[in-house]
Amino acid sequence: MSDTIVARPGYSIDLATLEAAVSEAFLTGVTSATVDDALVDRLLRYADIMSHSTIPAHREAAYNLIALLREIDELVGLSDRGSARVTAVATAVLIELGNFPGLRTLTNVTESTYALPVSRGVLRAAKEVTQATKRGTQTLTDTQFQIAERMRGEDFFSFSGPTSLGKSFILKDAIYDIVRRPALDQHCVVVLVPTKALIGQTAADLRELLRDVPEVNVATFPSLPLFLRKTYPRTIFVLTPERLLRYLSNPVRDIDYLIVDEAQKVIAKKDARSSIYYHAIVETIRRFATKLVFASPSIENPQLFLELFGKASNGALAVRERTVAQQRYFVDLIDRKQYYLSGAGGGEELLEVSPTARTAIELITSLSRSRKSIVYINSSAKSADFALELAEVLPKVSDPRIDAVIKFAKEHIHKDYFLADTLAHGVAFHHGKMPQEVRERVEECFSDPDSPLRFVVCTSTLLEGVNLPAKNIFVLNDTHGPAGFGKIDFENLAGRAGRLTYDFSGNVICVRYEQNGWSESRQELIPRGEPIIAESFLVDPGRTRKDFTDIGYVLRGEKLPGKPSSDAKRTVEQYASILLLHVLGKQQTPLRALFLEKVTDGAKLLDKAVSGFTGSEEVLRRSPGIQPKYQSAAWGELMTGAAGPLIPSDTPELTFELFEAVLARLGRVYNWIIEESGGKDPLVPKEEPGYSARLRYWATLMTYWVEGDPLVLVISRAIRYHAKQGVVKYHDYSVSPYLIEEPFKAGDQKQINRIIEETMRDLETGLRFKIISYLENYFDLTVEALGPANAGMNVAKLVEYGSSDPKVINLQEVGFTRGVSLDLLSKYTKYLAFTVDDELEKVDLDGLIAEPEIAEDVMAELENILRKAPPASTTVEL
């Protein structure tokens, strides 16, 4: 019957009428189409019949009809009878579809005046029992339940689906099931996430989920301190690929499950970290009999991830059903045209009425109405500027939740930080250079449906899996980084439109507001197409040789042909290191086999590479991002006595001069003047005197950070430094590819915010991502060459945790942020007991919580991290 309906011209006409009505009403506020009771009745009948189909396209069409009818009712209104009928039939359809988030949305916003058929009531009750989550508090949709059931029967499983499917929800339900099993005692689960930006949110969600499982803790660093080992027999690690490699160098607990969310990052062609992702998973499998779970956006062939790691592909499932519908629009403010993307006609439909808005700001404020909206813009600097422009046209808001975030931003960043100004008008910006604690507070406030934070101007952090859905998403740029969007990235971004349990549908509005924005080829991304075929050069490469011949160039020490980007060059170099490791470890992998097949002199090249590597194989496994030739050179110096530890253990004081000498040695050994002078954010310039001056800058930043200075003080000192120098230097790639220099102007808030952004970026990207990788590698080599007793200080650890105090470091390893750790030790040390080795041993939680003036952020973290400690006494003791 559903096939018959879809084939009928009348169905297409009715659907087109409804789509046009919704689109006109949304974009212009009025509609010329007539949506009368007769049309509503026909559409509801179509939806009811198609909801019984087993074909995903029919089921999705049924939901889409319900969502469109709800939308037109909200925008312009249906008759009382029509509105009541929509509610009644929607309930029946959603039960048949097993769409329980939609049912909750319906229950929250309206009541039905029609009685539900008994058969549907029975079906609902049955599904609520059989499809209940393992925690028993929610119900899985039919599609989610299908995935969960398949997953339980497989050791190696890969699934894909639309962003709105609720992949994270499915994974969390599986994790809840896994960690309650006694078999996990003294073992762990690793959840692999793309970036540090996602660690905090994922960990907080898991801690909330597992409050009633006292045996498990959630850890975010690649270590397991005494307090966590003794208190919790089971662990979930939330790690980036780099942190997973650190954990594998000294695994305290065996990894039973490796869960890879946003799995498309493993094969991303334009991301230099994809090779590290691949390597971290290979290393985990090499060390442990680990069960694997991959979750990815809409791709046709999720089995690719299983094939990539040599696993049987029968445990793969691709689904298409969405739990939230979407309407997609393209508004061209340059050519004064607006379009909607029709599901009925399958193409772009031009509205007769031109957009009334003249600017992107006008468009966003008029179309958002009172609903929450995300604005995507491809630049952290532009995100703050656009948020300021948006805030200027909006009234001030007064709300304790927003006031708390403003207070935190002023106290922990700077009193003139633009975020405080925009928040006062219900607008925030959000990007990867911001401190994690600030981002998390923005996310929490925006996610609260009752908070007046209505707009978040966001960069590509959304693409990393940050859970920040909204009713509307405005896409102002057609680029991700320096290149255009790929289809997976665009769909991942667009999938944030529509919030489960709050909306039946979301709106994706692509906006051309600049002359060179949204080219015709990029506009092809906007329609929702079929799931794409994912590709990897390590799985069925066909006749493709370039990826392998490029690795050959690196192994020969030759320059790559053409003009590859800095990221592309780094990716090839990292795969060359990984290939070398596979040969050294006698591992038979697709990378090794295909290289020998595709490169004529591949065997000789590998033999020469193996004989030329004189460093430590184990250290190279932890740091494949650093070329083997540099590791061999550092190893040679350490083994011959030409060099010793970076900083001896008995050094009485950590000074600027010491850190400058450390950086000078790293720069020489690892050839920074060549290897780290290119790309978008180079560590150093290519020549003197700029090179030495930049090293002094990094040494200054290291000194402040390791001394334990709070971020607000580091930023204030950076501002004073620029005032003393009399100039401000910054990057704005929308203006120039080169460093911009301008005179320092006292009291210039825009300049102050540029310094804030540059300082935060330098801390996170320069110091705590790039430089720390060299510090870790050199220390690892020193331990291997000289022994742990003679390796000196682990400078990388001091930089990672921003302190030389072992108690501050240990508290962060337990789970507290740097700021709260410093606060606990400075104000509440009487409630903490440490061993002679400065490891946390006991926490008087009663005493801490009873403190009358305890800071809100300290209380929140105590609740989040220690609340599950054995409850017989609120004192946690080992």
Side-chain angles (χ1 to χ4, degrees):
M1 288 181 70
S2 295
D3 282 333
T4 303
I5 288 171
V6 172
R8 287 179 61 188
Y11 167 76
S12 298
I13 293 169
D14 286 347
L15 176 55
T17 301
L18 179 59
E19 282 184 334
V22 169
S23 300
E24 285 181 341
F26 176 71
L27 291 174
T28 69
V30 294
T31 178
S32 57
T34 302
V35 183
D36 56 20
D37 286 354
L39 175 60
V40 170
D41 287 345
R42 289 197 301 275
L43 292 168
L44 288 174
R45 195 157 52 249
Y46 298 147
D48 188 28
I49 292 169
M50 288 193 289
S51 70
H52 289 77
S53 175
T54 58
I55 297 174
H58 295 159
R59 292 166 61 84
E60 188 171 339
Y63 180 76
N64 190 50
L65 287 172
I66 295 297
L68 285 167
L69 287 166
R70 293 287 310 177
E71 194 76 3
I72 196 67
D73 196 16
E74 180 182 322
L75 289 169
V76 296
L78 298 172
S79 70
D80 290 344
R81 176 189 176 278
S83 184
R85 287 267 298 153
V86 168
T87 299
V89 177
T91 303
V93 167
L94 293 171
I95 290 171
E96 192 65 44
L97 295 175
N99 189 327
F100 291 92
L103 280 169
R104 285 197 297 277
T105 305
L106 197 62
T107 304
N108 289 340
V109 298
T110 188
E111 291 184 7
S112 177
T113 56
Y114 290 83
L116 188 69
V118 173
S119 60
R120 297 294 173 95
V122 171
L123 180 62
R124 177 175 186 169
K127 287 188 176 183
E128 285 177 338
V129 172
T130 58
Q131 295 177 199
T133 59
K134 289 300 178 181
R135 196 177 183 185
T137 55
Q138 291 177 282
T139 309
L140 297 167
T141 68
D142 287 7
T143 305
Q144 290 171 343
F145 181 67
Q146 178 192 6
I147 294 168
E149 286 298 290
R150 280 283 305 275
M151 192 188 307
R152 289 190 188 102
E154 302 285 351
D155 287 346
F156 308 106
F157 187 71
S158 178
F159 73 96
S160 66
T163 303
S164 63
L165 170 70
K167 294 187 293 294
S168 296
F169 183 70
I170 298 167
L171 293 177
K172 285 191 286 188
D173 188 53
I175 290 169
Y176 186 83
D177 186 29
I178 291 165
V179 299
R180 290 182 304 143
R181 303 171 190 168
L184 198 69
D185 281 355
Q186 304 310 317
H187 291 240
C188 70
V189 174
V190 172
V191 178
L192 201 59
V193 297
T195 63
K196 286 183 182 179
L198 199 54
I199 287 177
Q201 184 186 77
T202 305
D205 287 349
L206 288 171
R207 286 178 182 136
E208 182 62 35
L209 174 76
L210 300 169
R211 283 202 184 281
D212 61 344
V213 188
E215 300 89 355
V216 66
N217 79 287
V218 179
T220 59
F221 286 101
S223 58
L224 203 61
L226 178 68
F227 182 85
L228 298 181
R229 291 198 307 273
K230 297 293 186 182
T231 310
Y232 307 103
R234 308 166 200 166
T235 303
I236 298 175
F237 285 101
V238 182
L239 304 173
T240 59
E242 291 83 0
R243 287 188 179 181
L244 174 55
L245 289 173
R246 303 306 303 172
Y247 179 78
L248 291 172
S249 68
N250 182 29
V252 182
R253 290 175 175 169
D254 287 2
I255 301 173
D256 281 9
Y257 289 84
L258 178 60
I259 297 173
V260 185
D261 199 3
E262 303 296 330
Q264 74 279 4
K265 297 292 181 182
V266 182
I267 56 171
K269 293 181 180 180
K270 296 176 182 177
D271 187 345
R273 294 177 65 242
S274 61
S275 50
I276 303 300
Y277 241 110
Y278 167 78
H279 174 63
I281 297 169
V282 168
E283 284 297 289
T284 304
I285 297 168
R286 186 179 72 88
R287 294 291 301 272
F288 303 106
T290 304
K291 297 179 175 70
L292 295 173
V293 178
F294 296 95
S296 52
S298 287
I299 63 171
E300 189 68 40
N301 54 330
Q303 66 272 14
L304 176 85
F305 299 105
L306 300 175
E307 295 168 355
L308 190 61
F309 300 101
K311 304 302 179 185
S313 59
N314 54 295
L317 182 63
V319 299
R320 301 190 180 193
E321 276 192 51
R322 301 165 186 266
T323 49
V324 176
Q326 280 188 350
Q327 283 77 58
R328 298 191 179 194
Y329 305 97
F330 177 58
V331 180
D332 189 335
L333 296 177
I334 304 298
D335 291 340
R336 313 300 305 158
K337 295 178 180 179
Q338 48 190 349
Y339 307 83
Y340 67 94
L341 285 304
S342 169
E348 199 175 65
E349 300 289 340
L350 175 66
L351 263 65
E352 292 182 7
V353 182
S354 298
T356 55
R358 291 286 164 183
T359 66
I361 298 287
E362 285 182 28
L363 184 75
I364 289 165
T365 53
S366 64
L367 295 186
S368 292
R369 298 173 179 88
S370 61
R371 308 300 291 272
K372 293 196 181 247
S373 298
I374 292 168
V375 180
Y376 170 81
I377 196 163
N378 186 29
S379 160
S380 57
K382 278 187 173 182
S383 70
D385 290 343
F386 196 88
L388 282 168
E389 290 181 44
L390 186 54
E392 282 180 7
V393 303
L394 297 171
K396 280 200 168 188
V397 297
S398 179
D399 184 85
R401 289 159 293 195
I402 285 184
D403 293 344
V405 185
I406 291 173
K407 182 173 182 286
F408 186 88
K410 287 184 173 182
E411 290 179 353
H412 290 77
I413 307 296
H414 193 275
K415 63 180 180 62
D416 292 324
Y417 190 32
F418 279 149
L419 183 65
D421 296 335
T422 65
L423 282 168
H425 297 265
V427 181
F429 51 89
H430 182 289
H431 56 73
K433 296 174 187 175
M434 298 168 68
Q436 177 182 317
E437 297 96 317
V438 177
R439 282 197 310 265
E440 287 175 359
R441 280 165 172 77
V442 168
E443 291 161 13
E444 182 181 2
C445 191
F446 186 72
S447 298
D448 182 343
D450 298 320
S451 87
L453 179 53
R454 286 177 51 210
F455 299 95
V456 171
V457 185
C458 199
T459 64
S460 57
T461 49
L462 273 184
L463 299 177
E464 312 298 348
V466 172
N467 186 25
L468 204 65
K471 173 67 175 179
N472 309 300
I473 180 162
F474 294 87
V475 187
L476 301 188
N477 296 108
D478 55 1
T479 53
H480 169 215
F485 272 120
K487 187 61 175 172
I488 286 182
D489 284 336
F490 181 78
E491 288 298 324
N492 210 7
L493 177 66
R496 311 292 164 182
R499 301 172 302 164
L500 282 175
T501 74
Y502 296 109
D503 304 310
F504 281 95
S505 63
N507 300 305
V508 182
I509 308 100
C510 299
V511 184
R512 180 173 175 242
Y513 73 111
E514 295 174 321
Q515 192 69 42
N516 59 351
W518 281 104
S519 65
E520 287 188 20
S521 61
R522 305 261 40 99
Q523 290 173 38
E524 294 173 5
L525 289 171
I526 303 173
R528 205 186 78 204
E530 293 297 307
I532 72 160
I533 302 292
E535 297 176 346
S536 168
F537 75 100
L538 295 175
V539 178
D540 297 328
R543 297 182 179 180
T544 303
R545 290 177 175 269
K546 186 179 186 310
D547 296 291
F548 303 99
T549 54
D550 280 353
I551 292 173
Y553 282 111
V554 172
L555 292 176
R556 293 188 199 95
E558 298 174 3
K559 187 178 178 182
L560 289 175
K563 294 182 179 180
S565 67
S566 179
D567 277 355
K569 178 174 176 287
R570 193 173 292 270
T571 298
V572 177
E573 289 170 351
Q574 287 168 176
Y575 270 117
S577 297
I578 294 165
L579 176 58
L580 175 60
L581 283 167
H582 292 178
V583 178
L584 289 167
K586 298 180 172 55
Q587 296 166 255
Q588 299 302 321
T589 63
L591 175 60
R592 183 180 180 182
L594 286 167
F595 180 80
L596 292 172
E597 176 189 321
K598 299 286 186 180
V599 179
T600 305
D601 58 346
K604 289 181 181 178
L605 273 177
L606 291 179
D607 288 343
K608 187 176 179 181
V610 168
S611 62
F613 178 65
T614 57
S616 163
E617 178 185 338
E618 283 308 306
V619 174
L620 181 60
R621 287 192 183 280
R622 294 173 226 167
S623 306
I626 297 175
Q627 292 188 57
K629 63 182 179 182
Y630 298 129
Q631 297 198 38
S632 293
W635 177 262
E637 289 187 5
L638 290 164
M639 291 298 288
T640 60
L646 288 173
I647 299 179
S649 298
D650 57 357
T651 302
E653 185 181 1
L654 297 174
T655 63
F656 163 82
E657 290 74 19
L658 267 177
F659 288 133
E660 185 182 21
V662 164
L663 293 173
R665 190 194 303 188
L666 294 179
R668 175 185 60 79
V669 171
Y670 296 109
N671 199 12
W672 282 359
I673 207 159
I674 297 297
E675 300 298 334
E676 289 293 349
S677 60
K680 189 175 179 181
D681 294 311
L683 273 182
V684 292
K686 292 180 182 291
E687 53 194 26
E688 294 289 5
Y691 178 85
S692 295
R694 193 62 177 168
L695 289 188
R696 289 194 294 274
Y697 168 78
W698 290 118
T700 303
L701 201 59
M702 274 181 72
T703 306
Y704 294 157
W705 189 247
V706 171
E707 281 179 352
D709 286 353
L711 180 59
V712 64
L713 183 54
V714 174
I715 288 170
S716 294
R717 286 177 166 174
I719 293 169
R720 286 202 299 272
Y721 168 82
H722 284 85
K724 185 178 177 182
Q725 296 295 311
V727 295
V728 175
K729 299 178 182 179
Y730 61 93
H731 286 100
D732 185 346
Y733 293 99
S734 64
V735 175
S736 167
Y738 306 106
L739 195 67
I740 298 170
E741 183 174 319
E742 59 185 39
F744 179 85
K745 302 170 190 170
D748 186 326
Q749 193 178 3
K750 190 156 190 173
Q751 269 195 358
I752 286 171
N753 274 269
R754 282 200 180 115
I755 296 169
I756 291 170
E757 292 285 334
E758 291 283 310
T759 304
M760 292 192 301
R761 184 206 65 197
D762 287 344
L763 267 174
E764 286 302 313
T765 305
L767 186 61
R768 299 183 67 232
F769 183 71
K770 291 183 179 179
I771 289 176
I772 203 172
S773 67
Y774 292 104
L775 289 167
E776 286 173 336
N777 182 253
Y778 200 93
F779 181 73
D780 289 343
L781 290 168
T782 309
V783 170
E784 290 280 326
L786 308 181
N790 300 312
M793 290 186 186
N794 186 348
V795 185
K797 195 169 188 177
L798 309 185
V799 171
E800 175 67 58
Y801 297 102
S803 178
S804 58
D805 185 337
K807 292 179 180 177
V808 173
I809 291 172
N810 191 255
L811 284 171
Q812 289 185 69
E813 289 179 325
V814 167
F816 295 104
T817 58
R818 178 175 181 262
V820 168
S821 298
L822 291 166
D823 218 24
L824 284 170
L825 281 176
S826 65
K827 299 176 184 176
Y828 309 110
T829 189
K830 65 182 179 181
Y831 300 113
L832 310 174
F834 292 84
T835 67
V836 293
D837 296 322
D838 292 321
E839 290 207 78
L840 183 66
E841 185 176 26
K842 185 193 303 182
V843 179
D844 179 2
L845 194 55
D846 272 345
L848 265 171
I849 291 175
E851 276 283 335
E853 309 222 346
I854 192 166
E856 186 179 327
D857 54 333
V858 176
M859 178 67 81
E861 289 191 22
L862 286 169
E863 288 281 319
N864 187 251
I865 295 161
L866 297 185
R867 191 177 175 188
K868 284 195 328 170
S873 164
T874 48
T875 295
V876 180
E877 190 169 357
L878 304 182

